[in-house]
Every structure is written in structure tokens, then in C-alpha cells.
Amino acid sequence: MARVAFVTGGTRGIGRAICERLKSDGMKVAAGYSGNEEAAQACARELGVMVVKGNVGSFEDCDRAVRTVEAELGPVDVLVNNAGITRDGVFHKMSPAQWSDVIRVNMDSVFNMTRQVIEGMREREWGRIVNISSINGQKGQMGQTNYAAAKAGMIGFTKALALENARKGVTVNCICPGYIDTEMVQAVLETVLASIIAQIPVGRLGRGEEIADMVAFLSGEHAGFVTGSTLSLNGGQYMAG
């Protein structure tokens, strides 16, 4: 029977690439989204995946979304916590809203979504949780104390949850992408983009498909011995020990 995967922030960018890859691997896939209806409908139409609208910062929305997916596709076997936002600004000028918005969507969402599926995974003694963090959660970034804190928190969450569930057949891993060729990155000034690429040893931006390849492995049947890991996919820009 096909595994069921739920990818938050799954209708654009890295998330869409992940959905496309998991669907091509034979999984039944649901893509979560919060607001861009046009992108969501295009994703559903072009990839043939289920799309589910909701706010990952709301525990109630996450409960509703997971119940909706389970009713149509079956119990969630694979959860990819990919949704995230930025509200950049130097800390001494950062507003409480800039801080709390990012923590809620990027960090609280990991609890909100994972809590909905973890008991079922433990009962079935099989599950895959993949958290999409960031290079900036590893090394920090000026103007992103909120984002870096949330993404670093995902790494700690991954390690602790992996320990709790290892004997139940549930793996929990974290991927830290560097700068990926998404529409968000392409929107920055050309001069800024050039300076970013100059800092990447392989000399280019990453591709969403490259992140999706790693998610596909970690989500698969042969990744049962990989858990609690943080994998850096950044072209050599930051080599975490």
C-alpha cells in the first residue's frame, strides 16, 4: 500500500519540489498552504496531489488539516515540516510581531503538525518526520535573529524527538538547505544575489530537486537507520561539524 505524505508549505518552491518527488516515488501526497490559491490550484492540477489550506501556526488548523488528509488519503506516514516565513530586521529594531510571527509559523508549527501524527506513527511502528531547517539556523545571519532562532530550534527538536521514537520505528531528521534557486531567492537584488553565489564554493545556487532527493531518501523504506541527523545541503558554504 502506498505511503501517505503531508508536506507543509508544499505548493511552491522547495515544498513543491518535494511533493513532486514523493509523488513520483509512488506516495499519496498532500500539500499544505496558507494563502496563495493560484499556486495551490496549479500544484494540485499539475502534480496531481491533494492541497489543504490552513495556518500551521494554529494547533486547531493543523488538527483539522491532518484529519482532512487522513479521511481522503489515509493515515499520515511521512510528515515534512517545510512551511516558513521571514520577517527580517536587526534585533534592536525588531517588533514583538516580527519575532512572534516567525516563531509561530517556523517553530510552533513543527509542534502543531508533528503532534497530530506522532501517536499514529508510534502505534503503527513506522513513520518518517523530516524537518526543513536552514543554513542560517546553523551559522546565524544578521537581521534574522527570529528566523535563526526558529530554525536552530528545529534542530534541537529533531534530536530529542528522534531519541524518544527510535524504538518505535519512527525516524526524525533535519535538512538545512543553503541558498536555493526559488522565487524568493530570485527576488533579491541582482547584486546581492551575485554576492551570495560568490560565497558558495560550488559556485551556484542549489536546486529544489536536490533538497527533494534527500527528503525522498529520508522518507523511504531504506532510511530506518538514519535518525536524529542534521544534513547540510549548502554547496559547501557552511560546513558544520
Side-chain angles (χ1 to χ4, degrees):
M1 184 177 292
R3 300 289 188 188
V4 175
F6 194 151
V7 182
T8 69
T11 61
R12 293 188 294 166
I14 292 172
R16 177 171 165 137
I18 293 169
C19 287
E20 184 172 9
R21 175 57 194 272
L22 296 182
K23 179 71 186 301
S24 73
D25 284 353
M27 292 190 186
K28 295 186 285 186
V29 178
Y33 74 104
S34 63
N36 191 321
E37 295 289 347
E38 184 178 352
Q41 295 312 310
C43 182
R45 182 177 62 254
E46 295 166 10
L47 302 187
V49 302
M50 179 181 181
V51 294
V52 186
K53 187 175 184 178
N55 174 12
V56 290
S58 162
F59 187 84
E60 292 73 21
D61 267 22
C62 292
D63 176 67
R64 178 193 55 76
V66 171
R67 300 291 83 78
T68 300
V69 170
E70 290 182 336
E72 183 164 330
L73 303 181
V76 175
D77 301 299
V78 176
L79 173 64
V80 183
N81 287 308
N82 170 71
I85 61 170
T86 57
R87 297 288 185 268
D88 294 351
V90 292
F91 184 75
H92 64 277
K93 294 184 178 181
M94 185 173 288
S95 70
Q98 283 176 292
W99 176 267
S100 61
D101 286 353
V102 169
I103 296 299
R104 185 174 64 253
V105 174
N106 295 24
M107 183 72 247
D108 291 350
S109 64
V110 180
F111 170 83
N112 292 341
M113 285 298 302
T114 307
R115 187 65 185 82
Q116 313 302 333
V117 303
I118 191 66
E119 291 186 70
M121 289 179 176
R122 287 172 59 88
E123 288 169 6
R124 296 188 300 276
E125 297 191 336
W126 200 97
R128 301 286 186 262
I129 298 166
V130 183
N131 298 318
I132 307 299
S133 179
S134 167
I135 184 175
N136 292 340
Q138 296 175 298
K139 72 176 186 61
Q141 177 63 37
M142 289 181 62
Q144 287 195 330
T145 52
N146 48 7
Y147 184 81
K151 292 300 187 179
M154 292 176 75
I155 297 172
F157 175 94
T158 295
K159 293 177 179 180
L161 194 66
L163 289 171
E164 291 184 11
N165 292 280
R167 291 186 181 275
K168 287 292 186 178
V170 180
T171 67
V172 190
N173 292 288
C174 191
I175 293 174
C176 291
Y179 288 89
I180 307 301
D181 190 8
T182 62
E183 104 186 37
M184 181 175 70
V185 171
Q186 288 292 353
V188 306
L189 291 172
E190 190 174 333
T191 53
V192 175
L193 187 58
S195 69
I196 289 171
I197 294 173
Q199 299 172 43
I200 303 173
V202 300
R204 63 171 175 85
L205 297 173
R207 295 186 292 271
E209 293 80 6
E210 292 172 312
I211 309 303
D213 285 344
M214 184 57 70
V215 172
F217 170 71
L218 293 174
S219 301
E221 305 294 333
H222 301 295
F225 202 59
V226 184
T227 195
S229 293
T230 301
L231 303 169
S232 300
L233 278 67
N234 60 40
Q237 186 176 1
Y238 181 75
M239 301 184 186

